[in-house]
């Protein structure tokens, strides 16, 4: 979602320890002066101190060499959301499933040879960056928006985008509104410490309307509060809204409004300074994307790994070249990463696609050859 000034924020679709939004100020002081400016100064100071703390933690941990730690531990510690069906949530047997979970398993398969060698660490918008900076987790794969301040100020490295999203609004159909611009005076469930929080304040201010924030910390809490009528509106990444609505007893009683008010490039991130580990996570994601483009699937990968007429497929799957060696891995690292859950398209379809209860179309997340934004650099 988006941020302010030194902006440190994310939301469940993106979020972190940042700041209170200027929501209450928007409500009482629409001119954007006076009290609001004082609040922004306070926020900036808080954000700056938080950034220094996290950056220092990240620098110390990165120096240790994450890939060596993961190999020695025999397990990948992967930070995920506290629960968003379709993206990351435990099933009835306690097994973590979802679109983001699949990336964790792909990295574990590439590095450790076992897609099940993962410890999933649930994190909230406020705790996720601290968990990564402190070394509690080796990577984050949890609906986190790539922003300037998170990349630069917080000393994290976003290794790519695995879902292009934007912030939206969900309301009960009974509310009788068809546009977010009709929400003047509404109560809004909003995850604290997120870019969503800041985008919301900007949108209402720009449209000269007011709202009353209902602060929540997790998607589960938001769902409970929204269904209980504690708020008229729930706002977060549009994909998160679709995933949440799919769990309702009567999904058809709730509508997603047409406005998308932000750019939310969601993707995995690691600590700054550990380039070897960053390369592994980045190229594992790229392998899933390229596999779909080149027709490598979980069904045909064994046959294709014996060798094809396409040199790039051969380099990805390790039948020629030394790409694995360059990463500090063996020749079949990408083959394992793809095989454990399928290529990007298979992962999307199985977890959040149109045939699932989430029902998301590929849209911007289609391959570049199909008019989307999905594009991997060459394996060369």
């Amino acid at each position: 979602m988006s941020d302010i000034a030194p902006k440190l924020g994310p939301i469940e679709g993106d979020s972190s320890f940042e700041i209170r939004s200027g929501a209450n100020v928007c409500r009482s002081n629409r001119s954007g002066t006076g009290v609001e400016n004082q609040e922004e100064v306070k926020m900036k100071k808080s954000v700056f101190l938080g950034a220094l703390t996290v950056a220092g933690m990240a620098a110390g941990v990165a120096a240790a060499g994450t890939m060596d730690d993961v190999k020695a531990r025999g397990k990948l510690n992967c930070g995920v959301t506290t629960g968003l069906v379709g993206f990351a949530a435990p099933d009835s047997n306690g097994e973590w499933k979802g679109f983001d979970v699949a990336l964790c398993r792909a990295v574990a398969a590439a590095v450790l040879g076992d897609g099940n060698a993962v410890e999933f660490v649930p994190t909230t918008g406020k705790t996720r960056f601290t968990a990564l900076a402190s070394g509690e987790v080796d990577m984050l794969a949890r609906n986190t928006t790539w922003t300037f301040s998170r990349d630069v100020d917080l000393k994290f490295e976003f290794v790519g985008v695995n879902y292009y999203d934007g912030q939206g609004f969900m309301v009960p159909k009974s509310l009788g509104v068809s546009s977010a611009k009709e929400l003047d005076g509404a109560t809004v469930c909003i995850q604290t410490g997120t870019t969503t929080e800041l985008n919301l304040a900007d949108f209402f201010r720009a449209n000269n309307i007011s709202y009353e924030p209902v602060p929540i910390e997790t998607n589960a809490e938001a769902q409970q509060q929204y269904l209980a009528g504690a708020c008229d509106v729930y706002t977060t990444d549009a994909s998160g809204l679709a995933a949440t609505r799919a769990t309702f007893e009567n999904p058809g009683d709730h509508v997603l409004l047409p406005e998308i008010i932000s750019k939310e490039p969601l993707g995995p991130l690691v600590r700054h300074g550990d380039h070897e580990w960053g390369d592994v996570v980045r190229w594992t994601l790229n392998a899933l994307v390229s596999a779909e483009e080149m027709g490598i699937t979980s069904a045909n990968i064994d046959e294709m790994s014996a060798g094809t007429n396409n040199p790039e497929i051969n380099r990805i799957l390790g039948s020629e070249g030394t790409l694995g060696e360059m990463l500090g891995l063996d020749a079949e690292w990408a083959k394992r990463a793809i095989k454990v859950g399928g290529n990007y398209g298979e992962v999307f379809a199985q977890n959040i696609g149109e045939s699932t209860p989430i029902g998301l179309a590929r849209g911007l997340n289609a391959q570049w050859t199909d008019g989307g934004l999905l594009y991997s650099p060459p394996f060369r």
Side-chain angles (χ1 to χ4, degrees), residues 4-322:
I4 77 167
K7 302 178 187 176
L8 286 187
I11 153 177
E12 255 299 302
D14 167 81
S15 329
S16 181
F17 32 45
E18 35 184 44
I19 29 207
R20 296 176 26 218
S21 88
N24 288 321
V25 175
C26 280
R27 185 175 177 82
S28 60
N29 184 11
R30 296 183 188 177
S31 66
T33 59
V35 176
E36 182 181 34
N37 291 335
Q38 294 175 21
E39 286 298 310
E40 287 189 2
V41 169
K42 292 178 182 177
M43 283 193 252
K44 290 177 182 179
K45 289 181 179 178
S46 175
V47 168
F48 177 72
L49 294 174
L52 289 178
T53 301
V54 174
M57 295 168 70
V61 176
T66 306
M67 187 155 72
D68 290 340
D69 292 343
V70 171
K71 288 181 175 179
R73 191 191 306 128
K75 180 174 62 177
L76 171 71
N77 293 334
C78 198
V80 292
T81 181
T82 53
L84 183 62
V85 173
F87 285 88
D91 63 14
S92 58
N93 296 318
E95 182 179 358
W96 283 86
K97 299 284 183 66
F99 181 79
D100 292 326
V101 165
L103 181 59
C104 299
R105 295 196 187 280
V107 172
V111 176
L112 300 171
D114 181 1
N116 291 316
V118 184
E119 179 74 26
F120 293 99
V121 181
T123 61
T124 69
K126 288 186 175 181
T127 65
R128 60 184 167 175
F129 290 152
T130 303
L132 179 60
S134 68
E136 180 183 357
V137 299
D138 305 307
M139 60 178 284
L140 281 179
R142 63 165 314 288
N143 309 76
T144 298
T145 301
W146 187 347
T147 70
F148 182 99
S149 58
R150 291 171 186 173
D151 195 337
V152 178
D153 228 15
L154 291 187
K155 305 304 180 188
F156 294 128
E157 182 174 354
F158 285 81
V159 299
V161 176
N162 70 334
Y163 194 91
Y164 291 94
D165 211 343
Q167 183 174 337
F169 299 88
M170 178 168 63
V171 299
K173 187 177 292 185
S174 59
L175 195 62
V177 300
S178 58
S179 169
K181 295 178 181 179
E182 300 171 16
L183 295 175
D184 191 18
T187 53
V188 184
C189 280
I190 179 73
Q191 294 179 39
T192 55
T194 70
T195 56
T196 313
E197 187 177 14
L198 305 173
N199 294 337
L200 181 67
D202 288 347
F203 176 80
F204 274 76
R205 178 180 175 184
N207 287 282
N208 197 32
I209 55 178
S210 65
Y211 69 100
E212 181 68 36
V214 178
I216 49 92
E217 289 198 17
T218 67
N219 189 66
E221 182 185 355
Q223 178 176 325
Q224 181 182 36
Q225 294 283 75
Y226 172 79
L227 290 176
C231 55
D232 303 312
V233 188
Y234 180 31
T235 183
T236 187
D237 292 335
S239 64
L241 294 176
T244 300
R245 183 175 63 170
T247 66
F248 292 172
E249 185 176 351
N250 298 300
D253 291 345
H254 305 270
V255 296
L256 303 186
L257 299 179
E259 286 84 2
I260 298 295
I261 66 170
S262 68
K263 292 186 299 184
E264 306 299 332
L266 308 177
L269 60 156
V270 298
R271 291 176 289 272
H272 259 335
D274 194 342
H275 304 300
E276 181 182 38
W277 179 243
D279 287 343
V280 168
V281 180
R282 174 182 300 107
W283 285 97
T284 297
L285 172 58
N286 287 339
L288 302 186
V289 173
S290 286
E292 181 186 18
E293 179 185 348
M294 297 182 183
I296 305 169
T297 70
S298 55
N300 66 21
I301 194 168
D302 286 328
E303 178 183 353
M304 296 185 81
S305 63
T308 72
N309 293 326
N310 185 322
E312 186 161 15
I313 290 177
N314 297 341
R315 289 192 292 269
I316 293 172
L317 298 182
S319 60
E320 65 179 74
T322 59

Side-chain angles (χ1 to χ4, degrees), residues 359-372:
L360 294 173
R362 288 292 292 269
L364 295 178
N365 297 291
Q367 288 280 341
W368 68 282
T369 50
D370 295 324

Side-chain angles (χ1 to χ4, degrees), residues 125 194 351 358:
T194 70
N351 292 287
I358 313 303

